[in-house]
Amino acid sequence: MAEHQVRHLDSIESLRGVAALMVLLYHLAELVKIPVPESMGFIPARFGLGSSVLHTQRLRTRVWLCG
């Protein structure tokens, strides 16, 4: 019986984790309206992009695994 090899990229998993954290912080700041310190004002302005990063990485991973 042949062993099933799983292709795995640690850097992709790390990027996915960072993107998930970005999405979580964005939702806390924008949807739940938890006050954000002025020094972290970039969270509501930029962290909404985390969702796009997650979807892009998921697609690229599937293409890489299948190709």
Side-chain angles (χ1 to χ4, degrees), residues 6-46:
V6 177
R7 296 173 75 181
H8 185 74
L9 291 174
D10 291 333
S11 58
I12 296 294
E13 294 299 320
S14 299
L15 183 58
R16 190 174 293 150
V18 169
L21 182 61
M22 288 172 66
V23 170
L24 174 68
L25 292 174
Y26 176 78
H27 281 95
L28 288 174
E30 285 297 306
L31 299 178
V32 183
K33 299 296 182 192
I34 291 179
V36 178
E38 284 185 32
S39 63
M40 300 187 84
F42 59 89
I43 290 176
R46 301 279 186 245

Side-chain angles (χ1 to χ4, degrees), residues 27-64:
H27 281 95
L28 288 174
E30 285 297 306
L31 299 178
V32 183
K33 299 296 182 192
I34 291 179
V36 178
E38 284 185 32
S39 63
M40 300 187 84
F42 59 89
I43 290 176
R46 301 279 186 245
F47 275 27
L49 298 173
S51 179
S52 297
V53 172
L54 281 174
H55 292 296
T56 302
Q57 288 309 105
R58 184 177 299 136
L59 177 63
R60 295 186 104 193
T61 302
R62 285 183 184 168
V63 169
W64 182 76

